[in-house]
Every structure is written in structure tokens, then in C-alpha cells.
Amino acid sequence: MTATTAKNLIDQPYKYGFVTDVESDTIPKGLNEDVIRMISAKKNEPEFMLDFRLKAYRQWQKMNEPNWFHASYSPIDYQDISYYSAPKNNDSEKKQSLDEVDPALLETFEKLGLPLSEQKRLSNVAVDAVFDSVSIATTFKEKLAKEGVIFCSISEALQEYPEIVKKYLGSVVPVGDNFFAALNSAVFTDGSFVYVPKGVTCPMELSTYFRINSGETGQFERTLIVAEDSSHVSYLEGCTAPMYDTNQLHAAVVELVALDDAEIKYSTTQNWFAGDENGKGGIYNFVTKRGKCQGKNSKISWTQVETGSAITLKYPSCVLVGDNSVGEFYSIALTNNMQQADTGTKMVHIGKNTRSKIISKGISAGNSTNSYRGLVKMGPKAHGARNYSQCDSMLIGDNAEANTFPYIQVDNDTTKVEHEASTSKIGEDQLFYFAQRGISEEDAVSMMVSGFCQEVFNQLPMEFASEADKLLSLKLENSVG
Amino acid sequence: MIRENSNVILSVRNLTAEVEGTPILNGVNLEVKAGEIHAIMGRNGSGKSTLSKVLAGHPDYKVTEGEIIFQGENILEMEPDERSLKGMFLAFQYPLEIPGVSTLDFLRVAYNSQRKQQGLEEMDAFDFEDLVEEKLELVKMDPSFLERSLNEGFSGGEKKRNEILQMALLEPALGILDETDSGLDIDALKIVANGVNQLAKPDNATVMITHYQRILNYVEPDYVHVMRDGRIVTSGGKELAQELEERGYEWIEEEAVSEVSAQ
Ligand SMILES: Nc1ncnc2c1ncn2[C@@H]1O[C@H](COP(=O)(O)OP(=O)(O)OP(=O)(O)O)[C@@H](O)[C@H]1O
Ligand SMILES: [Mg+2]
């Protein structure tokens, strides 16, 4: 700390900003029905999939880009994006063995701290690695298959298990749900698919790692997780991208379906490139994530640690259809420099005695804007339903902005909705207190931030909690003064 | 205790400081030697807390003139954490509440930062808890405070005791206590005073900022200074505090005025 009140905000350089030099098969920029047919043909998809895409595309054409959120960006030219890019040497047919995967790609994931090879990979986490538009490898497939758990890329699922995909795809997020979801439904190229059969508890964490490499491709991945009666699964998603001074669009759709007594835990640590300190470059992260607690006593829990992206618009939601079903949302959203995040959740209570819990922790540093936006909706038949929401904001320095927009809609008077909010600050006086006890600024910030986030960290799988903690500290290095 | 040949711990010479262009300290002179206890008194707004914060290096204040020699070194360019690690401790007039950081973690990180500075290994969590429990005795604090967030929801008196607990742990060369006695009930005052007395050693020094004679009955100062308009205008022995208690500050101000006009 110097005598000046606020030091310039210099972020730790983004260490995942490298580009992998691979030859790719990238289709020309632009979007029309022929492009969609071409994507579907390249992937050798069943007929229903092409229909699904075209239906979505036709709806999308009639839709307007949303503008209700608390963020601003220059208009996206959807004809200036390439909708398909795949590393060559990696056919849409899934590789059977890692030996056949381009070593440059394996090296990329190793550099990202995610080795895929037999010897080095994480022992208790199965990983699906997605590079630009396609999945390049999935580990532990055989081991999972023994338990009947299917974990593969969605392209592969369309070849191998078309019936399951057909039954559930679009059942939670309909093709015309919103502008970005419709776009995704029309053009998505890959993503992960998980199916956990009745009564099975998935023996390990499942994880997908999304890597955007190409500078001009949009990433539109699609994830579908189906948990049959009384099954349990925990899934983790991680993301990084190189540093380009242009913006890349990431518009994913994630659908979760939990049947009777099933439980899905979905965790995300998102560290897309956020742009530089002047706000140049970075990922636009416009994602639709929704889970449907279809069965009674089912449970869906979202945990997210959002640290990257230039702009984030993201509202992982739960539709609580089954009686006694439970939805949870635990979120840490950190913004620094010029980042803008508008994130939160929707809890839609439909069934009786459904319960939901929202714990949101927003940390804003630099000149960033961090908004929580949440909707709790109690439907007319949701007798005895309850919600508890807690939204805490932490401001670091004097130039950051935090907003909370809680919307509540109650159509049944036997329900109960509770909302609490707080704002705290890491300012000069807090840092001075720590410094006066000999504690460095870095340690002080990381202690205060970890403390602030503890409730959410506790929800993350063990292996990732400390990782997430480190990530936050890294992101905030030198961000205060 | 005053001794002729003890080391000078703190020497402040002609210190002036301002906040956003407004001068607040206007030439403070103060010398504190090992083994001594000093009391600083003065009206509200006379600059006592500012002096303590400037000594500790608070970034709000800009030193415009003078020097601060601490343990033989000019510390004006040092960051607050370096000053702390060099042995300066400030017990705050209004200790902040830090939600989410447990008192125990805070104490441990502070203690280990100091060990690191001294080239020692970090103390592990178990040994540290033993050490803290011992120090808790000194201020008669219940161990249950350790699990709570730092100062969060602590009563005024509990916060002040927590400051002394931290001082006991860090064993500074110079402890500056900014109105640690304010807001304490009689029992707590005795406990805190007793703690301060036990921590006072021949090789360290204490500066107590206070408004009341009361604590000085328990912690006997070697010197009493009176601040006014950002300056120390009068110094004396402990009887000065007694006199202030009886006569207030006005007579000093009159003397100061006549002094100025005599010059
Ligand atoms: N950061 C600041 N910004 C503006 N003014 C300040 C600041 N810090 C101190 N001052 C002013 O400087 C003067 C001295 O304040 P200081 O807190 O040092 O007084 P004090 O002697 O400790 O008073 P008290 O006995 O009430 O604690 C006051 O007029 C105060 O308003
Ligand atoms: Mg004061």
C-alpha cells in the first residue's frame, strides 16, 4: 500500500492465455439453414436432430437479442462467427484410445493442469475434454460403463443412444426458450452427455473441461445429464480460453433431469479469459443452465465459481416439479477490472412442499459491475413450499459496483419466502488493520475473500474447493490498494 | 520506568502530516525510551489518533515534514506491515469487525507473519492454540471468542480486550494504545491494566492515549503529554494527569497562548 488511496488495478496475468497451434477444420463464417445442415451432416446425425436444429433456427430468426440485463457490449455480428471448428485428425467419431489423439491437444490439457493420459490423470475424476467445438477424449469410460453410467460426448450419444437423447434433449430448455438457447439449439457442435441408471450412485466425479482455442469460432456446447430414479451424480465443469483482443461468444445450454429420489450436483469453476484491464477482448458467456426436478424427492444443486469472462449472463435454475423436491444454488461471482457479470438463479416451485435455497456471494473489484438477479416463483399448487435466499456482496476498492435484483412472485399463500442481503467492503481500513498486525495485503485479501466464500466452497467437491480458493486469490492479486 | 542509559525506541521529530491538504499534525516531538510508559492526553480532535496512525503508516495521511526514527531507523518510507514486523503495535480506538475471518486464524496468520520475518518456521495449528490459550488468560477472555469472526458482534469492551490479546501475542517493542480504556467497565479496566503492566518490560515501551486519569492509577506513566492542535504542547510526570483531571485543559491552553505571545 502506498499513500495514494487507490492503486491502479493491475491483475495477475491470465496464465491460460496461450494458443495451441493445430490444424482445424473450420467452416466459413456465417449462419443459414445450409450451414446447419452442413454441421448436422458432418456429425452424421439422426434425422430428428436436424429437425430440432432447424426448428430452433427458425424460432431464433424471429427473436431479439435480450437487453434487460445490467451489462453493455457492442452488438454481436452473428454472420461474422464460424459455427464449426474441429481439430483435424480428430473425426467426429470418438477415438477409442488416447494414443490416437493429436499430442498437441493432450499437451494443451496438460498445460491446463488436466492431464488425460493414464499415468497422470486425476484418480477419482472422469474427464471429458472439449476443445473448441468437439470432445477430444473422455477418461474412465470403461470403469463407468461397468456401473451402467454413460459418460461421453453428446455427438457420441447421438450415435449410440439416440433414443435417450431424443427423449430428454430440449425437455428442460425448449428450443425457443430464449435468444441464446435457440441459437445454441440450432448450431451446437458438442458437449457432454451423462446418464445414470436407476439406483446407481456414480462412483466418481464426472467432469467436462471446455477449452476455447480458435479466435473466431463461437462455442456452443450442449450438456445433458439424466439421473434415473434413486441415482446420484456429481458433475464438475471447468473452462479456460486464450487471450485474444477480440471477443468470443460462448452460448452453452445445460439441461439436467432428476427423476424420483435422484440427486444431481453440478459445479462450475469458470475462468474464461476476462479481457485485459482496459476491457479489451474476453469471452461473452451467455449460458442457459436449467435443471428439472421431475421426480418426487429429487434434488438438484448448482454450485458455481465464476471468475472469468468479459461479460457473464447466467442463471442456473431449478424447476421443482416433483413433490418435496429440492433446488439449491450456491454461487461465487468475482469480477475485476472492466468485467461485467449479471448472474443469479431462478427457483420455480411447482410441486408441493418443494424447497429451495440460494446462497450468492458477489465480489466486485476494480471498475467491474457485479449484479445478482434472482427469481423465486411459487406456483399456485406449491402448497407448503419454502425458499431461503441470501445475497452477500463484497466490494474491493472504491470503483466497483454491486447490485442485487431479487424478484419474488407468489401465487400460493401457504408458501414462505425469506430473503437476506448484506454488503461488506475490503477497503483501506480493513487492509490497514491486517497490515498493522504484520499481515501482507495479499494474505489479507485472500483471508477476507475465503472467509466470505466459505459457505459456497463447502459445497464444492474436495479436490476443487482449495483450487477455487487459490483461483480467487490469484484473480485478486494486486487488485486493491 | 525511566533509566538514564536505556535505548531510544521511538524518536519523533517535528512531524507534520495532512489529510487531503488539511494539516492535522503540526510538528510533533516525542522521544520514547525502552522501559518507559508514556501517556498522551488532549481534547477530542487534538490529533492523538492521527499521531498513532501516522506512526503506524496509515495511507490516508501524508507526512509533509519531520521524521520518525523507530528502533534506530527512519521508517517514513516503510509500509504498515513492515513497521508492524519491526515491532510497532497499534491497539485501535475502534477495532474493525472482519466478518468471515475467525479470530484464531487472524491471530495465527499475524503471529506466523512475524515468525517468518524472524526467519523462524511457522508454528503449527496445535502449538499455536496452546500459545493462544495461555495469552487468553492474561486478558481473561473465553476461548470461545477464537472461533468467532474477528470482532464481529463483540461488545466494545471485548474488542478492546481482543486488541490487548493481540499485543500479548506479538510482544511488540512499542505498543501504542489508543483509548483502550474507553468503554471498559471497572473489572475489565483492571484486567486490561494488569495485562498492560505484565507486558511492559525493560526492553519495550508503551504509549497510552487516554482521556482519563482512571487507567493511570493502575498503569503508572513515566511521562504525560498533552496534545493540542496537532502538537504536544506540554509534558510532565504523572502528576500532570492528576492536574488535568482536576482543572481540565483550559489552563494549559492559556499558558500555551501566553507562551506564543511572549515569543
Ligand atoms: N482521515 C481524515 N480525514 C479528515 N479529517 C481527519 C481524518 N483523520 C483525522 N481527521 C481530523 O483530524 C483531527 C484530529 O483527529 P484525531 O482522530 O486524531 O483526534 P483525537 O485526538 O484522536 O480525538 P478523540 O479524542 O476524539 O479520539 C480531527 O479534527 C479529525 O476530524
Ligand atoms: Mg482518537
Side-chain angles (χ1 to χ4, degrees):
Chain A
M1 268 187 294
T2 58
T4 45
T5 30
K7 225 176 6 188
N8 276 347
L9 307 171
I10 319 143
D11 213 340
Q12 174 78 3
Y14 183 72
K15 70 175 185 181
Y16 305 111
F18 61 90
V19 182
T20 309
D21 190 12
V22 287
E23 240 190 288
S24 350
D25 171 12
T26 304
I27 64 172
K29 288 176 182 176
L31 184 56
N32 53 48
E33 292 203 1
D34 289 341
V35 168
I36 291 166
R37 286 176 207 280
M38 180 161 40
I39 293 172
S40 195
K42 269 183 186 291
K43 302 177 75 64
N44 190 28
E45 287 177 350
E47 190 66 28
F48 82 85
M49 204 53 243
L50 178 61
D51 294 345
F52 181 97
R53 291 176 182 280
L54 291 173
K55 190 171 151 206
Y57 177 66
R58 286 167 196 155
Q59 295 208 25
W60 178 74
Q61 280 183 303
K62 288 184 235 143
M63 298 170 97
N64 292 319
E65 208 169 323
N67 59 2
W68 41 261
F69 43 79
H70 202 87
S72 58
Y73 58 94
S74 41
I76 300 169
D77 180 356
Y78 293 94
Q79 297 303 335
D80 196 37
I81 295 173
S82 165
Y83 288 85
Y84 184 85
S85 171
K88 273 202 178 131
N89 314 329
N90 197 84
D91 314 328
S92 60
E93 294 285 306
K94 195 55 172 254
K95 296 289 180 229
Q96 286 311 302
S97 140
L98 278 169
D99 303 341
E100 295 165 54
V101 177
D102 184 343
L105 296 180
L106 292 180
E107 203 181 299
T108 299
F109 282 95
E110 194 150 343
K111 255 171 137 172
L112 297 170
L114 206 87
L116 301 172
S117 68
E118 296 277 346
Q119 309 82 0
K120 292 186 194 155
R121 66 196 184 186
L122 297 166
S123 61
N124 49 353
V125 183
V127 178
D128 185 24
V130 177
F131 188 88
D132 283 340
S133 297
V134 298
S135 162
I136 62 152
T138 311
T139 61
F140 290 112
K141 262 166 115 167
E142 298 77 26
K143 185 169 175 196
L144 290 167
K146 270 193 209 126
E147 308 278 339
V149 176
I150 303 170
F151 180 37
C152 63
S153 70
I154 197 122
S155 311
E156 192 181 350
L158 276 164
Q159 304 299 321
E160 307 285 329
Y161 317 100
E163 288 312 310
I164 311 179
V165 178
K166 189 176 176 185
K167 183 168 173 193
Y168 291 107
L169 196 74
S171 72
V172 184
V173 180
V175 291
D177 187 81
N178 67 69
F179 183 84
F180 295 110
L183 180 61
N184 173 288
S185 301
V187 303
F188 78 84
T189 38
D190 218 338
S192 298
F193 174 74
V194 177
Y195 177 82
V196 192
K198 199 167 169 171
V200 171
T201 295
C202 188
M204 52 175 55
E205 298 283 335
L206 304 183
S207 170
T208 298
Y209 196 94
F210 294 107
R211 172 70 178 172
I212 293 181
N213 190 59
S214 158
E216 290 175 321
T217 324
Q219 188 163 12
F220 304 95
E221 85 277 348
R222 186 95 191 184
T223 299
L224 174 62
I225 300 179
V226 179
E228 289 277 5
D229 292 354
S230 306
S231 67
H232 292 77
V233 61
S234 169
Y235 179 93
L236 190 118
E237 168 200 284
C239 340
T240 56
M243 299 157 73
Y244 290 113
D245 57 8
T246 54
N247 301 100
Q248 289 93 54
L249 176 62
H250 175 249
V253 171
V254 175
E255 295 179 281
L256 313 182
V257 181
L259 302 178
D260 288 356
D261 303 296
E263 185 173 338
I264 302 175
K265 197 174 159 67
Y266 191 107
S267 317
T268 307
T269 53
Q270 185 263 112
N271 184 19
W272 296 121
F273 178 51
D276 66 13
E277 64 274 19
N278 301 314
K280 201 161 169 50
I283 303 290
Y284 290 163
N285 189 29
F286 301 158
V287 170
T288 306
K289 290 184 165 174
R290 195 174 305 154
K292 187 158 143 193
C293 283
Q294 194 167 311
K296 60 177 169 41
N297 305 321
S298 57
K299 179 174 173 183
I300 289 179
S301 173
W302 298 99
T303 304
Q304 60 171 18
V305 180
E306 300 282 308
T307 67
S309 297
I311 302 177
T312 301
L313 297 180
K314 185 176 159 191
Y315 315 91
S317 305
C318 296
V319 183
L320 305 170
V321 178
D323 291 347
N324 307 313
S325 60
V326 177
E328 292 177 339
F329 175 73
Y330 298 93
S331 169
I332 296 168
L334 179 150
T335 53
N336 198 354
N337 297 321
M338 305 298 286
Q339 278 175 273
Q340 307 175 64
D342 193 303
T343 181
T345 185
K346 281 187 258 179
M347 293 291 174
V348 181
H349 293 252
I350 294 172
K352 283 202 262 309
N353 295 316
T354 46
R355 278 162 294 148
S356 64
K357 183 170 167 187
I358 299 171
I359 306 287
S360 161
K361 306 277 180 177
I363 304 164
S364 354
N367 294 297
S368 68
T369 308
N370 199 330
S371 304
Y372 167 82
R373 187 184 304 276
L375 169 70
V376 176
K377 188 172 173 176
M378 296 296 184
K381 293 189 183 133
H383 302 292
R386 275 173 295 155
N387 160 267
Y388 172 76
S389 305
Q390 184 188 326
C391 300
D392 299 324
S393 311
M394 177 176 258
L395 293 168
I396 301 183
D398 296 321
N399 303 316
E401 185 183 326
N403 305 296
T404 308
F405 305 105
Y407 304 98
I408 296 170
Q409 188 185 328
V410 177
D411 296 320
N412 180 317
D413 55 16
T414 66
T415 61
K416 193 171 156 195
V417 178
E418 281 175 276
H419 180 88
E420 284 177 29
S422 78
T423 304
S424 53
K425 190 176 159 134
I426 300 184
E428 220 159 54
D429 285 323
Q430 284 79 6
L431 292 171
F432 182 63
Y433 193 20
F434 280 73
Q436 216 305 303
R437 301 305 185 244
I439 302 174
S440 71
E441 191 174 297
E442 255 160 58
D443 287 350
V445 171
S446 97
M447 284 173 82
M448 284 186 269
V449 168
S450 316
F452 179 72
C453 299
Q454 199 56 49
E455 244 175 305
V456 177
F457 286 152
N458 289 345
Q459 297 301 320
L460 284 173
M462 270 273 277
E463 301 83 335
F464 297 99
S466 63
E467 201 101 319
D469 195 1
K470 267 185 252 154
L471 179 63
L472 294 184
S473 303
L474 197 71
K475 283 272 166 179
L476 285 170
E477 237 164 62
N478 304 320
S479 74
V480 276
Chain B
M1 193 194 299
I2 305 174
R3 279 176 306 161
E4 273 303 299
N5 50 359
S6 48
N7 291 329
V8 177
I9 288 189
L10 177 73
S11 170
V12 178
R13 286 185 216 140
N14 188 33
L15 186 66
T16 69
E18 56 176 44
V19 163
E20 283 158 9
T22 311
I24 298 184
L25 297 184
N26 298 305
V28 176
N29 290 294
L30 178 67
E31 186 165 279
V32 178
K33 287 184 181 164
E36 295 175 352
I37 295 177
H38 291 237
I40 298 182
M41 304 182 79
R43 283 179 192 270
N44 296 132
S46 57
K48 305 179 298 295
S49 293
T50 302
L51 174 61
S52 70
K53 287 191 235 170
V54 169
L55 292 176
H58 194 290
D60 271 358
Y61 303 93
K62 188 171 158 215
V63 173
T64 43
E65 252 181 86
E67 54 184 17
I68 305 171
I69 311 291
F70 179 54
Q71 310 248 64
E73 207 179 330
N74 190 343
I75 58 166
L76 274 183
E77 294 301 315
M78 277 189 192
E79 297 290 330
D81 50 341
E82 294 174 78
R83 299 185 195 197
S84 160
L85 294 170
K86 205 174 156 57
M88 185 179 297
F89 181 92
L90 171 57
F92 288 85
Q93 182 173 2
Y94 304 109
L96 287 183
E97 301 197 2
I98 310 286
V101 176
S102 79
T103 303
L104 183 65
D105 281 346
F106 182 74
L107 295 174
R108 193 181 55 237
V109 175
Y111 186 74
N112 279 329
S113 300
Q114 199 180 57
R115 284 183 64 101
K116 208 166 115 196
Q117 170 78 9
Q118 294 162 349
L120 298 171
E121 247 179 70
E122 289 197 359
M123 185 180 270
D124 71 44
F126 296 106
D127 289 347
F128 184 73
E129 267 191 68
D130 292 345
L131 177 68
V132 172
E133 303 242 328
E134 191 189 305
K135 304 287 178 185
L136 280 171
E137 278 290 298
L138 190 77
V139 284
K140 304 259 185 304
M141 261 169 82
D142 192 274
S144 64
F145 283 102
L146 298 175
E147 301 306 321
R148 289 172 58 180
S149 286
L150 183 60
N151 295 328
E152 196 181 34
F154 286 25
S155 75
E158 288 162 353
K159 285 180 184 166
K160 297 297 178 74
R161 280 202 238 183
N162 195 16
E163 294 291 288
I164 301 305
L165 171 68
Q166 293 168 41
M167 183 162 99
L169 198 66
L170 297 174
E171 299 184 327
L174 176 67
I176 306 166
L177 313 184
D178 191 359
E179 296 199 26
T180 303
D181 56 329
S182 296
L184 294 181
D185 65 41
I186 302 186
D187 292 340
L189 182 74
K190 282 186 192 162
I191 290 166
V192 163
N194 178 46
V196 172
N197 280 328
Q198 285 197 37
L199 293 173
K201 304 268 160 60
D203 61 349
N204 65 21
T206 309
V207 172
M208 282 195 306
I209 295 169
T210 181
H211 285 293
Y212 308 107
Q213 163 63 28
R214 211 175 45 162
I215 186 150
L216 304 179
N217 292 334
Y218 301 102
V219 183
E220 215 170 274
D222 301 300
Y223 296 97
V224 174
H225 310 278
V226 178
M227 270 190 93
R228 180 173 171 251
D229 292 339
R231 227 182 311 227
I232 288 176
V233 289
T234 310
S235 299
K238 65 172 189 256
E239 62 295 338
L240 178 57
Q242 193 65 50
E243 202 166 351
L244 288 168
E245 181 94 347
E246 283 159 20
R247 298 175 61 190
Y249 288 108
E250 218 143 290
W251 61 277
I252 292 182
E253 282 161 21
E254 277 156 18
E255 278 180 17
V257 170
S258 55
E259 223 172 87
V260 170
S261 47
Q263 275 172 3

